[in-house]
Amino acid sequence: MTTTVTPPATAQSLTLDKLVKTYSSRGRESFQAVKGIDMAIRPGELVALLGPSGCGKTTTLRMIAGLETVTSGSIRIGEREVSQLPASKRGIGVGFESYALYPPMSVRENLLYGLKARKVKGAEQMVDSISRRLEMDDMMGLRPAGLSSGQKQRVALARALVRNPPVLLLDEPLSHLDASARQRVRRELKVLQREFGYTTIVVTHDQVEALSLADRLAVMDAGVVQQFGTPDEVFDDPANLFVAQFVGEPQINVLHGVARVAGGTVRVEIGSGAGALHTTVTGVADGTNVTVGIRPQDCVIGTDTDKGVRVTVAYFEHLLEFGLATSTVAGVEEGIVVQTPAAESYEPEQQVTLTAPAERVYLFDSDSGERLR
Ligand SMILES: Nc1ncnc2c1ncn2[C@@H]1O[C@H](COP(=O)(O)OP(=O)(O)OP(=O)(O)O)[C@@H](O)[C@H]1O
Ligand SMILES: [Mg+2]
């Protein structure tokens, strides 16, 4: 059954401009947690914010929500500048981990509370519909003290959703759910988001979750958005080594190499005399030390010893849909992981050659990690 409540008349864009947050505590050095973020999120778009612990994800959401002051920069919802407005005037739905539920009220009463105070029409149907879709029927009569952390999380999510906000901010909304509930609630969240048209930012540590939910990914590190693009763009065309390593499972292989430019073609030598890979990169001089990135999915094992890089299989794992061959190269410390087709099998000590499509052999500046093109 679908809900009877009408979606927001017009979905709103969310625009961040040079957003900065500096924390300063007395007697201590100030710390810049968010270092000038620019992001233009389209009306109704779902953006997943990904990044390592401490990179500034929660701080960014809290500034947008109005729970944290903005040091500088601007936040606009549609054309409206909101960075100086109190949280209650921004019209943002927040589903954060710090759930503030009223202890004496049941879950249902908690969900209805804000809506009734604002005399929202159809509040009961809205609460019933959303809670059913988030599989909350069995907890509606319980008090908050009796809830598990996974249940509390769903209450926080439902509470943000029933307000039917134009902008929705979710900080790891499903992290306490068990694997199967997590998948189902994730799907329902995506459907609700599409149906209602909330412009949404979801913080997650889970790549599969990010990929399944997001229209675009924002990959963040050290207070800076390193890349903002569709999942395919981020995976296929990483802006720098950080993004290449952060997105993708199994992780991208990272090796040291030396560029060889001859007769208009560029190759990159791997290891000591083990061979070279062709690349489409042109902006590199002969003899330059570079960092090479090759995804396990892009590596191809062959037997033609004249082509590619000679490697030795160290061990092989058969994982039903595919295999993983970890191999070693003379003169290279790191192992190279190759994802192989399900039908293939390799033995330890087997000598093979490794190639990759030239456009999938990424080069990065060895110092800055920036992508060479
Ligand atoms: N109130 C505060 N005062 C000082 N420093 C803070 C404050 N809140 C956060 N920080 C610092 O700002 C940085 C970013 O924190 P933030 O909580 O935004 O990270 P995060 O990306 O959400 O991490 P996680 O994935 O662990 O939740 C961290 O280094 C943190 O220690
Ligand atoms: Mg956080």
Side-chain angles (χ1 to χ4, degrees), residues 23 31 33 51-60 68 171-172 205:
Y23 287 113
F31 174 74
S53 190
C55 74
K57 304 179 296 293
T58 297
T59 302
T60 302
E68 193 69 74
D171 199 348
E172 305 198 39
H205 276 275

Side-chain angles (χ1 to χ4, degrees), residues 12-16 38-51 190 193-194 198-204 206-220 225 227-235 243 247:
Q12 303 268 2
S13 61
L14 172 65
T15 313
L16 311 181
D38 297 315
M39 245 195 304
I41 303 176
R42 298 178 197 118
E45 191 173 24
L46 194 156
V47 170
L49 189 53
L50 275 175
K190 178 83 182 179
Q193 193 268 340
R194 282 281 177 271
Y198 325 110
T199 304
T200 307
I201 305 182
V202 181
V203 169
T204 173
D206 181 333
Q207 280 207 32
V208 175
E209 193 163 293
L211 293 171
S212 75
L213 283 172
D215 298 305
R216 282 194 289 174
L217 303 180
V219 184
M220 200 168 165
V225 172
Q227 189 165 4
F228 185 32
T230 64
D232 284 341
E233 280 164 3
V234 171
F235 184 80
V243 173
V247 179

Side-chain angles (χ1 to χ4, degrees), residues 33-353:
V34 174
K35 301 177 181 161
I37 287 186
D38 297 315
M39 245 195 304
I41 303 176
R42 298 178 197 118
E45 191 173 24
L46 194 156
V47 170
L49 189 53
L50 275 175
S53 190
C55 74
K57 304 179 296 293
T58 297
T59 302
T60 302
L61 289 202
R62 287 177 58 84
M63 280 195 284
I64 300 170
L67 302 172
E68 193 69 74
T69 57
V70 167
T71 305
S72 65
S74 118
I75 302 168
R76 291 196 305 281
I77 296 177
E79 293 305 311
R80 196 165 63 113
E81 174 65 46
V82 300
S83 60
Q84 304 305 319
L85 294 180
S88 59
K89 296 257 157 62
R90 294 190 189 190
I92 291 178
V94 183
F96 286 178
E97 282 229 16
S98 48
Y99 351 85
L101 299 172
Y102 301 106
M105 295 184 192
S106 69
V107 167
R108 187 159 198 279
E109 287 161 345
N110 263 289
L111 292 176
L112 279 169
Y113 185 75
L115 301 179
K116 284 201 165 156
R118 286 188 287 130
K119 300 200 164 54
V120 173
K121 279 203 193 120
E124 311 248 339
Q125 291 97 304
M126 182 71 164
V127 166
D128 288 344
S129 163
I130 298 233
S131 56
R132 187 172 326 110
R133 293 173 67 171
L134 298 181
E135 301 182 14
M136 295 169 59
D137 284 348
D138 56 343
M139 64 179 96
M140 294 304 277
L142 301 179
R143 302 257 169 93
L147 298 176
S148 72
S149 54
Q151 288 175 324
K152 279 187 194 164
Q153 223 170 13
R154 267 176 286 168
V155 177
L157 179 58
R159 205 169 57 154
L161 293 172
V162 295
R163 294 178 182 190
N164 198 12
V167 173
L168 180 64
L169 305 175
L170 302 173
D171 199 348
E172 305 198 39
L174 311 175
S175 57
H176 296 313
L177 274 59
D178 67 61
S180 86
R182 194 170 172 151
Q183 270 192 20
R184 293 193 306 272
V185 174
R186 182 175 85 202
R187 243 173 260 141
E188 202 55 52
L189 173 61
K190 178 83 182 179
V191 173
L192 280 163
Q193 193 268 340
R194 282 281 177 271
E195 216 170 277
F196 286 83
Y198 325 110
T199 304
T200 307
I201 305 182
V202 181
V203 169
T204 173
H205 276 275
D206 181 333
Q207 280 207 32
V208 175
E209 193 163 293
L211 293 171
S212 75
L213 283 172
D215 298 305
R216 282 194 289 174
L217 303 180
V219 184
M220 200 168 165
D221 185 37
V224 176
V225 172
Q226 305 285 332
Q227 189 165 4
F228 185 32
T230 64
D232 284 341
E233 280 164 3
V234 171
F235 184 80
D236 293 333
D237 197 11
N240 56 39
L241 185 60
F242 175 83
V243 173
Q245 287 186 289
F246 200 79
V247 179
E249 258 294 314
Q251 230 188 5
I252 194 168
N253 294 296
V254 175
L255 311 157
H256 172 257
V258 181
R260 295 293 173 206
V261 184
T265 64
V266 179
R267 296 181 317 144
V268 57
E269 275 175 9
I270 309 277
S272 42
L277 296 170
H278 283 277
T279 170
T280 51
V281 174
T282 52
V284 64
D286 188 43
T288 311
N289 285 300
V290 292
T291 300
V292 185
I294 321 161
R295 295 207 181 276
Q297 298 87 343
D298 294 328
C299 293
V300 180
I301 288 182
T303 47
D304 182 353
T305 47
D306 294 339
K307 267 203 234 155
V309 178
R310 285 177 293 285
V311 303
T312 306
V313 176
Y315 58 92
F316 180 72
E317 299 158 274
H318 205 294
L319 302 173
L320 298 179
E321 293 112 3
F322 57 86
L324 290 180
T326 303
S327 29
T328 55
V329 186
V332 176
E333 221 174 279
E334 308 86 353
I336 302 180
V337 177
V338 180
Q339 188 169 316
T340 57
E344 291 177 14
S345 169
Y346 296 89
E347 297 296 326
E349 302 302 320
Q350 201 175 335
Q351 312 272 320
V352 292
T353 58

